[in-house]
Amino acid sequence: MALLEVEDLNVTIPTPRGTAHILSDVSFALERGECLGFAGESGCGKSITAMAVMGLLPTTAQATGRIRLDGRDLLAMDEAGLCAIRGRRVAMVFQEPMTALNPVKTIGFQVAEGPRLHLKLSKAEAGRRAVAMLRRVGLPPDRFSPDLYPYQLSGGQRQRVMIAAALACEPDILIADEPTTALDVTIQAQILDLISDVVQETGMALVMITHDLGVIAETAERMMVMYAGRIVESGPTAEVFRHMAHPYTRGLFAAIPGGPEEESRRLATIPGQVPEPIALPPGCAFAGRCARTEDDCRAAVPPAEPVGPGHRVRCLHPHVGAT
Amino acid sequence: MASDGASDGASDGAKEGGLGEVAAKALGNRSFVIGGVLTGVLIVVALVSLVWTPYSVIDMDIAGKLRVPSAAHWFGTDQFGRDVFSMMMVGAQNSIAVSLVAVGVGAGFGVPLGALAAARGGWLDETVMRFNDFAFAFPAVLSAVMITALAGPGAVNSIIAIGIFNIPVFARLTRGGALAIWKREFVMAARVAGKNAVRITVEHILPNVASILIVQATIQFALAILAEAGLSYLGLGTQPPQPSWGKMLNEAQTLMFLAPQLAIFPGVAIVLTVLGLNLLGDGLRDVLDPRLRRLR
Amino acid sequence: MSVFLARRLVALFLTLLGASLAVFLILEVLPGDPATVMLGIGAQEDSLAALRAQLGLDRPAWQRYLVWIWGWFQGDLGNSYAYDEPVIKIILERLRVSLPLALMAITLSTAIGLPLGVLAAARRNSLTDVSVMGFVQVGVAIPNFWFAILMILFFSVFLKVMPAGGFAGWDAGVWPAIKSLILPAVALALPQAAILARVTRSSVLEVMREDYVRTARAKGLTFAAALWRHAVRNALIPVVTIMGLQFSFLLAGTIIIENVFYLPGLGRLIFQAIAQRDVIVVKDVVVLLAGAVVLVNFIVDMSYALLDPRLRGGGHGQ
Ligand SMILES: Nc1ncnc2c1ncn2[C@@H]1O[C@H](COP(=O)(O)OP(=O)(O)OP(=O)(O)O)[C@@H](O)[C@H]1O
Ligand code: SF4
Ligand SMILES: [Mg+2]
C-alpha cells in the first residue's frame, strides 16, 4: 500500500456563472520517501490538488473520490482527524514567504507552534526544538534569534523559516507549492538544495509543485503534467523526458532553446486559451490549441493509456518515439 | 503601463453595461430595494404633508388631549390634543429639509475644497488636510450644541451646525478620489493637451468621484437626520409650533407615565428613515462601484 | 521611541492650542453677554459695567485669552459666573459621574461589539452572521436618546426595577450610584457596539484570507484556534483606531444622554453652561474634552506598537 493514494479526485466549486470543474479524475500514488513532481500552466489545478490533500479546500468546494493516507480516506475524515494529520503527517511550504508568516508573531513561536500542538511539547522544549530546526535550515541562533519577527528577515530567510516550521514535526509528506517562485534566482537554488537535503536526510516523501521543469528534472523521480484540472501525462521523470507523448507536454518544452537537456527548462508559452473551468469541452480540453487535433478528440475525454513503463498519457494521438 | 489602472476607474463599473444593466443590478440588490422603498415612502409622506395633513398641526384641542390611537387619530393625540400622525408627517418634511440642506452645505463647500487640494497640492493641500484632522478630532455634536445654543436655537442654525461638520467628510473623500485620478493616463493626456486644472476637474475628476460621493452623501444624510433629531430633542433645533421628531420625543419623555405611546412613533420614524438611507447607501455602493463593496 | 513620543506631545500641545483658540473665537463672535445673563435683562447699565470690570470682560480679547491660558498653566481655571465656584472644583465634581459613565459605556460596547464581530466573521453567511448584521443596521439607526427613553419605559415605568433618571450620588453607596449609571451606559454603548461589531467583522474577514492564516491551518490548528491566535490580533489594528474615534463620539453622546437621565455630569454641565452663558466653564470644559480626545488618540497610537512589532522597530537579523 502506497503512503498516499489519490483516486478519481473531482473538485467542483459553484460560482454565480455555473459550476467550475477545478479537478477531474485526478489519480496518483506517492510511496514512502518518493519525490513526485507536478508541472503545468498557471491555473491548471496544482495548488488545489495540494490543498485537497491537506483537507483545506475552499469551504464552497465539493470533492468526491478518495484521498487515502495509509489507507484512511481523508475525504471521509472529520475535522479533528484532519487537524491531527495536518502539520504532523503532511506538512506544506507555500509560494509566498512574504505573506505566509504571521507578521505579529516571532519566528520562534511560529516554528514551535506545530510541535507544541502535535507533540505536546512544553513551551521550553518546543522553543529548543524551534532553535534546532532554525539552525538546520541555516538560521543559527547567534545571528537569527527566535525572537525575531518576520519583517526583520529577507524573503529567502523567511522561506527557510517556513521550511523549519514544516519540518518541525517530522512529517511523512512535505508538499512544496512553488517554494521558490517568489525568490531571487540565486536564492532559489539554495532553497531547493535545502529541501533536497532535508528530504534525503529524513526520508520523507516530497510533492514538488513548480513551474520550473529544471526543478522537476532534478528533484522528482516521477512527474505529473496537469492541464485544465486533469493529469494528462505521468510517469518516471527520465522516461517522460525521453519520450514525451502528450502534445501539451511537448508544447511546454518546445520553445525552450537547447531542448529538454538544457539547464533551465521553464515552461514555454503555448498559443491559445485554456478553457475556463466553468466551460470545459466534452472532449479533450487541449483540442483548441493542439496541432494534432482530429474529430475524435472532441467527442470524449481521452482515457489515460499506458505508452511505456509506468508511463501514461491522456491523448488519442500521442507522439511516439524519442523527444 | 497604466492600462490596468484605467480599467478599474471609479465610473467604469457604472459605464460597463449601460444604464439598463445598472438598473437591473439595482433592482436585484436587496439593500437597495428595501432602502429605496423606505426612503421613497418618507419622501412621499413629506411631500404630501406640504399640501395636506389629516388634521392641523397647529390648532389645539385640549379637550381631546392624550387620546390613544383610534380610527380618527391613527397615532393618538398629544398633550395639546394635536393629531400625532399629522405631526409626524410634517416632522418628516422637517427632517428631510434640515438634513438635505445640511448635507448640501457640507458637499457644496467640501467637494470644491477637496478637489482644489488635490489639484493644487503643496501647502494648500496640507492646510486643508490639517484643518480636516482637527475637525475630525473635535466632537461634532459638542460644537453643534455650542453653535446652536449660542447663536440661538432654530432650524437654520442647526443646518449650519450640522453642515459644518459635513465639510471635512466630503473634502477628504473628494481629495482622496481625485488624487488617484489625477495620476491616470487620460488626465495626463488632457494636461498635455493644454486643458487647465479647473476644466480637467470638471470634465474628468468630478464625474469619476461622483459615485463615491453619492454613496457618502446618502450615509451623511442618515447621520444628519440623527443629529437633527438630537438637537431638536435638546430643544436647540427646530422650534415649536413646527413639529419635529426630536422635539416630539422630548415632550413624550415628560409624559411617559401618562401616555407612553407618544414615545414610540417618532422614534420608530427616525429608525426607519436612518435604516432606509443606510441600506440605500449600501445598495448604491454595491451597484455603482463593485470595488467599494464591503466584505459581507 | 522618544522621537515618536516627542512628536506626539507636540501634536497634543498644538491641538489643545487650536481647540482653545477655536472655542475662544466662537464664544467671542457669537452673541450673548454673561453679565446680562447673570444680572437679568432689567439690570442697570452701571452695575452691568461694574460686573464686567470685575469679571475682566472689559479688557481686549487677546489679553483675556492669554490670562485664561496662563491660568491653565497655574492650575487655575477661573471661577464659574453661574456657580461662583472654581471651575476646577465643578469639573472634578462632575467627572465623578461622567468618568465612570464613559468607562462603563466603553467597556460595554467593547464587550458586546468585539465578540459579535468575531463571531459573525467566523460564521460568515450563517444565521448568526445575518443576525449580527441586522443588529448592526438597527444599532446605528437608533438615536441613542430614543433608545434611552425606551429603556426607561421598559425598566423604570413598566418593570420599575431601575431609576428613571437622576444620580443617587456616591455617598448613597456604590451600588445605587452604579445603578443610576447602568441605563445611560447601555444607551451610550449600543450604537458604538454596533459600529465596533461591523468594523471587527470586516477586519477579521479580511485577515482570515491572509496567507498566514492558511499557514496556521496547514500546521494543524483548528479553524477556531487559527482565528483566535493568528487572525484576531492582526484584525484588532483597525478596530483600535475606531475605538479611539469612538471616544469622541462617546463624549458627544454624554451631552444628550446625561440630559435624558438628568445626570449631573460634564455633558450636562456644558449644556447648562452654554445656556447660561457661563463662558469660562464652556471654554474650560471644551479644552478639557479636546485634550481627552487627543490623549485617547495618543494611547491608541501606543497600542498599535503593542499590536504590531513592525512599529516597535528593532534590529534587523544577520
Ligand atoms: N476559491 C476558489 N473559487 C473558485 N475558483 C477557484 C478557487 N480557488 C481556485 N480556483 C480556480 O481553480 C483553478 C486551479 O487553481 P490552482 O490555484 O490550483 O492553480 P495552480 O495550478 O496552482 O496555478 P498557479 O501556478 O498559478 O499557482 C483555477 O482556475 C482557479 O481559478
Ligand atoms: S487528444 Fe487530440 S486534441 Fe487532445 S492532445 Fe491528443 S491529439 Fe491533441
Ligand atoms: Mg498554485
Side-chain angles (χ1 to χ4, degrees):
Chain A
M1 184 174 60
L3 176 60
L4 177 73
E5 288 169 314
V6 175
E7 245 177 63
D8 298 325
L9 177 62
N10 282 274
V11 172
T12 56
I13 297 180
T15 74
R17 294 186 300 140
T19 303
H21 295 267
I22 308 288
L23 293 182
S24 311
D25 304 328
V26 169
S27 300
F28 64 91
L30 180 69
E31 302 292 336
R32 255 172 216 290
E34 189 188 22
C35 295
L36 186 60
F38 275 83
E41 284 169 304
S42 188
C44 67
K46 305 183 296 289
S47 296
I48 295 282
T49 307
M51 294 319 273
V53 172
M54 295 298 292
L56 286 176
L57 287 171
T59 43
T60 51
Q62 277 153 11
T64 61
R66 281 153 304 279
I67 302 174
R68 279 195 285 260
L69 183 69
D70 283 336
R72 287 162 68 208
D73 188 358
L74 302 187
L75 286 181
M77 199 177 280
D78 63 2
E79 185 56 27
L82 288 173
C83 281
I85 287 173
R86 286 184 205 124
R88 175 71 190 85
R89 311 269 336 262
V90 189
M92 190 155 173
V93 174
F94 296 97
Q95 175 174 347
E96 262 301 333
M98 305 312 277
T99 55
L101 290 168
N102 188 335
V104 307
K105 302 277 185 190
T106 64
I107 58 172
F109 175 93
Q110 298 189 59
V111 175
E113 195 169 21
R116 283 178 71 183
L117 180 73
H118 292 296
L119 311 179
K120 305 284 176 262
L121 296 188
S122 71
K123 202 171 171 180
E125 287 168 331
R128 278 194 293 278
R129 191 182 187 101
V131 170
M133 294 317 300
L134 287 169
R135 187 196 302 277
R136 173 63 196 88
V137 298
L139 302 174
D142 50 330
R143 282 162 58 216
F144 300 92
S145 152
D147 295 330
L148 290 178
Y149 287 94
Y151 79 96
Q152 293 165 310
L153 301 179
S154 71
Q157 290 160 351
R158 289 186 208 192
Q159 197 60 300
R160 287 173 192 270
V161 174
M162 279 298 295
I163 293 170
L167 298 179
C169 294
E170 296 171 346
D172 298 321
I173 303 174
L174 176 67
I175 303 177
D177 188 357
E178 308 192 35
T180 58
T181 309
L183 303 176
D184 288 347
V185 184
T186 47
I187 312 290
Q188 286 185 1
Q190 294 173 12
I191 295 291
L192 284 173
D193 286 347
L194 174 65
I195 292 177
S196 300
D197 285 356
V198 295
V199 163
Q200 251 154 35
E201 215 172 275
T202 58
M204 63 186 164
L206 174 70
V207 173
M208 175 62 78
I209 297 173
T210 178
H211 277 160
D212 191 332
L213 292 173
V215 174
I216 298 249
E218 268 167 44
T219 55
E221 290 142 22
R222 278 193 308 130
M223 64 181 285
M224 315 269 139
V225 178
M226 290 190 75
Y227 182 73
R230 284 181 197 276
I231 295 177
V232 293
E233 183 160 11
S234 63
T237 307
E239 160 72 15
V240 174
F241 270 61
R242 226 176 293 124
H243 304 288
M244 284 180 202
H246 201 284
Y248 174 67
T249 314
R250 289 220 173 189
L252 289 177
F253 288 69
I256 302 165
E261 302 306 322
E262 183 71 32
E263 182 54 354
S264 174
R265 283 149 298 199
R266 286 174 174 277
L267 294 183
T269 38
I270 306 168
Q273 287 283 310
V274 186
E276 281 191 75
I278 55 161
L280 290 181
C284 175
F286 194 51
R289 305 167 78 188
C290 176
R292 299 165 75 90
T293 311
E294 291 179 29
D295 288 347
D296 52 349
C297 300
R298 302 188 194 270
V301 176
E305 298 286 355
V307 288
H311 186 178
R312 284 168 171 269
V313 69
R314 278 185 189 275
C315 175
L316 297 179
H317 313 285
H319 293 271
V320 284
T323 308
Chain B
M1 121 217 121
S3 61
D4 285 4
S7 68
D8 61 23
S11 67
D12 296 8
K15 274 183 208 147
E16 224 166 52
L19 219 55
E21 193 164 311
V22 172
K25 220 161 122 194
L27 290 179
N29 184 303
R30 199 162 8 128
S31 299
F32 183 86
V33 172
I34 299 177
V37 168
L38 283 174
T39 310
V41 167
L42 176 81
I43 291 174
V44 168
V45 167
L47 288 177
V48 169
S49 78
L50 285 174
V51 292
W52 176 82
T53 51
Y55 296 88
S56 158
V57 295
I58 311 251
D59 298 346
M60 300 187 190
D61 170 19
I62 303 293
K65 70 175 184 180
L66 297 180
R67 292 253 166 85
V68 292
S70 65
H73 297 278
W74 288 359
F75 289 179
T77 60
D78 75 349
Q79 75 272 32
F80 300 117
R82 292 174 297 184
D83 178 50
V84 172
F85 187 76
S86 306
M87 290 173 72
M88 299 240 332
M89 285 177 70
V90 180
Q93 166 202 326
N94 178 68
S95 270
I96 293 186
V98 170
S99 307
L100 206 60
V101 180
V103 174
V105 168
F109 285 96
V111 172
L113 218 57
L116 189 71
R120 280 287 148 79
W123 65 268
L124 189 84
D125 188 22
E126 195 63 25
T127 314
V128 170
M129 291 325 287
R130 287 293 78 76
F131 178 76
N132 264 347
D133 289 347
F134 181 70
F136 265 113
F138 214 67
V141 171
L142 176 60
S143 318
V145 167
M146 260 171 69
I147 292 173
T148 44
L150 292 171
V156 175
N157 285 337
S158 56
I159 287 174
I160 296 173
I162 299 168
I164 285 180
F165 290 96
N166 274 304
I167 296 176
V169 175
F170 284 99
R172 175 174 289 205
L173 201 64
T174 309
R175 174 183 173 273
L179 274 183
I181 294 162
W182 271 103
K183 297 197 182 80
R184 295 274 198 72
E185 249 172 12
F186 62 89
V187 173
M188 301 280 189
R191 280 168 98 173
V192 172
K195 292 193 182 168
N196 66 21
V198 175
R199 198 150 157 217
I200 292 178
T201 298
V202 171
E203 280 179 15
H204 296 293
I205 310 287
L206 290 184
N208 271 296
V209 294
S211 59
I212 42 174
L213 289 179
I214 291 171
V215 170
Q216 192 64 38
T218 320
I219 290 161
Q220 292 307 118
F221 194 26
L223 288 175
I225 300 252
L226 281 176
E228 194 276 335
L231 287 177
S232 298
Y233 172 83
L234 289 175
L236 300 172
T238 312
Q239 294 300 297
Q242 169 85 346
S244 75
W245 294 342
K247 189 87 199 142
M248 288 171 78
L249 282 174
N250 186 329
E251 282 161 7
Q253 197 188 347
T254 59
L255 299 166
M256 211 145 43
F257 291 88
L258 284 175
Q261 78 273 7
L262 288 180
I264 305 293
F265 302 117
V268 171
I270 298 171
V271 171
L272 288 181
T273 305
V274 175
L275 192 66
L277 284 166
N278 280 340
L279 288 174
L280 189 66
D282 284 357
L284 274 175
R285 188 196 312 260
D286 293 353
V287 172
L288 290 179
D289 197 345
R291 279 182 315 133
L292 292 174
R293 188 172 307 164
R294 264 181 312 215
L295 289 160
R296 48 179 60 237
Chain C
M1 205 62 178
S2 58
V3 177
F4 179 67
L5 256 171
R7 208 176 317 133
R8 297 302 312 180
L9 284 176
V10 170
L12 180 92
F13 181 75
L14 286 180
T15 311
L16 287 182
L17 202 68
S20 66
L21 264 174
V23 63
F24 188 86
L25 284 177
I26 291 180
L27 291 174
E28 203 60 32
V29 171
L30 292 174
D33 173 21
T36 319
V37 173
M38 284 169 79
L39 294 182
I41 303 290
Q44 299 290 321
E45 191 48 47
D46 51 343
S47 51
L48 278 176
L51 182 59
R52 284 200 196 100
Q54 186 200 331
L55 297 175
L57 291 175
D58 52 347
R59 288 197 258 174
W62 66 270
Q63 277 188 15
R64 276 182 284 128
Y65 178 75
L66 287 183
V67 167
W68 172 48
I69 293 297
W70 183 237
W72 267 85
F73 284 104
Q74 296 180 315
D76 172 16
L77 307 192
N79 268 4
S80 156
Y81 306 149
Y83 298 89
D84 198 22
E85 273 185 14
V87 178
I88 183 105
K89 186 166 165 256
I90 302 174
I91 288 180
L92 288 177
E93 184 98 11
R94 299 299 181 109
L95 272 178
R96 283 155 56 93
V97 178
S98 288
L99 205 60
L101 177 59
L103 285 178
M104 280 168 73
I106 239 180
T107 312
L108 211 63
S109 78
T110 312
I112 298 170
L114 275 189
L116 279 188
V118 173
L119 199 69
R123 311 233 173 110
R124 191 178 180 185
N125 291 336
S126 70
L127 188 66
T128 317
D129 187 18
V130 173
S131 316
V132 170
M133 289 315 281
F135 161 77
V136 165
Q137 285 290 2
V138 174
V140 296
I142 289 190
N144 55 10
F145 63 90
W146 184 57
F147 184 59
I149 293 174
L150 285 186
M151 283 198 298
I152 296 174
L153 262 181
F154 187 70
F155 291 105
S156 311
V157 178
F158 182 63
L159 290 183
K160 300 188 172 48
V161 294
M162 284 285 177
F167 184 60
W170 293 104
D171 302 334
V174 174
W175 172 238
I178 295 272
K179 203 171 162 188
S180 37
L181 295 181
I182 290 180
L183 292 187
V186 173
L188 277 175
L190 176 86
Q192 308 302 335
I195 295 171
L196 212 56
R198 176 160 69 191
V199 176
T200 307
R201 175 180 177 275
S202 66
S203 175
V204 170
L205 279 182
E206 198 133 331
V207 172
M208 268 177 7
R209 289 185 314 184
E210 294 282 351
D211 285 352
Y212 53 80
V213 176
R214 185 186 58 184
T215 305
R217 296 279 282 142
K219 278 184 203 166
L221 268 70
T222 59
F223 177 79
L227 176 79
W228 183 244
R229 269 191 244 161
H230 289 272
V232 169
R233 182 159 152 200
N234 287 284
L236 277 183
I237 294 171
V239 172
V240 164
T241 312
I242 298 296
M243 286 173 65
L245 282 179
Q246 283 193 338
F247 184 74
S248 105
F249 283 102
L250 209 98
L251 287 177
T254 59
I255 298 180
I256 294 187
I257 291 299
E258 286 179 359
N259 267 294
V260 177
F261 289 96
Y262 306 107
L263 292 177
L266 268 192
R268 198 160 157 77
L269 172 68
I270 193 170
F271 180 70
Q272 290 169 333
I274 291 172
Q276 295 166 336
R277 295 295 181 277
D278 199 347
V279 179
I280 191 96
V281 171
V282 176
K283 286 191 292 198
D284 285 335
V285 175
V286 168
V287 171
L288 191 80
L289 292 184
V293 169
V294 186
L295 195 72
V296 164
N297 284 332
F298 177 73
I299 295 171
V300 165
D301 281 354
M302 287 300 169
S303 62
Y304 287 155
L306 274 184
L307 288 170
D308 190 343
R310 284 166 290 192
L311 298 176
R312 253 174 271 158
H316 285 241
Q318 75 200 279

